Amino acid sequence: MVSVVFRRELASFFATPVAYVFVTIFLVMSGVFAFFIGNLYERGQADLLPFFNFHPWLYLFLVPAIAMRSWSEERKSGTIELLMTLPISTFEALLGKFLAAWSVLGLSLILTFPMWLTVNYLGDPDNGIIIAAYLGSWLMAGAFLAIGMCMSALTKNQVIAFILAVVVCFLFVVSGSGIVLDAFKGWAPSLVIDTIASFSFLTHFESLAKGVIALNDVGYFLILMGTWLYASLLIIEQKKAD
């Protein structure tokens, strides 16, 4: 039954401007960041690091925007009651919604293939590293999405869901940055500092973007997705009971 919800949600994305607007903005902004800010041409290196380095910051705002409607809209419009009366479990509905939105994110990444072709035309890049970076970006997008869907399950107000998702995702992005870690140095034990740094999206994504597909980095994003989706499930079940 997951496939039924998946098809329903995927169709709803493309029945409205949501998917088209998201894909267009992602393609335009990723190109702007890569070429004009990341100096993809001027670097003189055949790789896509300037392109991938900005993905966490693009996802920080774009993914919560696409996730905020997942449950908030259902609750606001009253269609959540209809969804819950169907012969499917809450988990199946949640998973179907997640996979549909994650597919839209994956499509956005696939449509950046001209950039990949460009660096292959201009030089001789390591395509294995680029594939690993694409995988890492998609996994990271899934983690952003799981957090966004959990925030959407908390409230029927899409704006509040968006703001909450941006705040939580921002904390995960910057947790490994020097500014944050410096605030703990001098009084917090090294174990605490290392734990905070280990939650950073940037730390795990940068390794994947460099072509190092380590189990701990892939596992981090998968566990994060599972944790936030489970939290979403608990919230939805609780609100359904109410």
Side-chain angles (χ1 to χ4, degrees):
M1 295 302 291
V2 173
S3 61
V4 174
V5 180
F6 171 80
R7 291 195 299 270
R8 169 185 179 266
E9 288 298 311
L10 195 61
S12 71
F13 275 120
F14 289 97
T16 63
V18 174
Y20 303 101
V21 171
F22 175 85
V23 172
T24 301
I25 293 176
F26 178 77
L27 294 178
V28 171
M29 293 305 296
S30 60
V32 169
F33 282 130
F35 289 106
F36 295 101
I37 301 178
N39 298 319
L40 185 64
Y41 283 143
E42 290 79 357
R43 291 172 70 249
Q45 297 182 28
D47 60 37
L48 285 178
L49 274 180
F51 167 65
F52 288 111
N53 285 342
F54 291 102
H55 280 199
W57 306 105
L58 280 172
Y59 291 150
L60 179 60
F61 294 100
L62 293 181
V63 176
I66 205 172
M68 67 183 185
R69 65 187 292 274
S70 56
W71 292 104
S72 298
E73 186 177 347
E74 295 271 15
R75 186 169 289 113
K76 185 177 180 179
S77 62
T79 55
I80 190 169
E81 285 80 7
L82 175 62
L83 179 64
M84 292 307 173
T85 58
L86 297 176
I88 58 173
S89 66
T90 304
F91 174 74
E92 289 173 330
L94 175 66
L95 187 59
K97 281 177 171 288
F98 175 78
L99 292 177
W102 201 18
S103 296
V104 173
L105 298 176
L107 175 63
S108 302
L109 281 171
I110 291 172
L111 291 177
T112 64
F113 72 91
M115 202 167 293
W116 189 352
L117 296 178
T118 299
V119 294
N120 274 273
Y121 176 76
L122 296 175
D124 186 25
D126 188 328
N127 287 309
I129 292 178
I130 294 177
I131 291 173
Y134 268 107
L135 173 63
S137 182
W138 190 51
L139 289 171
M140 181 173 61
F144 274 101
L145 178 62
I147 294 172
M149 291 187 70
C150 184
M151 297 302 106
S152 180
L154 278 173
T155 174
K156 63 180 180 181
N157 188 308
Q158 294 189 40
V159 175
I160 294 176
F162 173 79
I163 294 173
L164 288 174
V166 170
V167 171
V168 175
C169 290
F170 179 74
L171 294 176
F172 273 97
V173 171
V174 302
S175 63
S177 65
I179 296 176
V180 173
L181 297 181
D182 287 343
F184 290 89
K185 289 180 180 178
W187 64 272
S190 58
L191 179 61
V192 173
I193 296 175
D194 291 340
T195 301
I196 294 172
S198 69
F199 282 107
S200 175
F201 282 176
L202 296 178
T203 302
H204 296 280
F205 175 61
E206 285 173 357
S207 298
L208 291 167
K210 293 176 181 176
V212 181
I213 304 180
L215 184 61
N216 65 311
D217 295 320
V218 174
Y220 166 78
F221 288 119
L222 292 176
I223 291 172
L224 204 64
M225 279 185 263
T227 301
W228 284 98
L229 287 176
Y230 181 67
S232 301
L233 181 64
L234 295 179
I235 293 169
I236 296 165
E237 290 286 3
Q238 178 63 40
K239 288 186 176 292
K240 185 171 65 173
D242 295 339

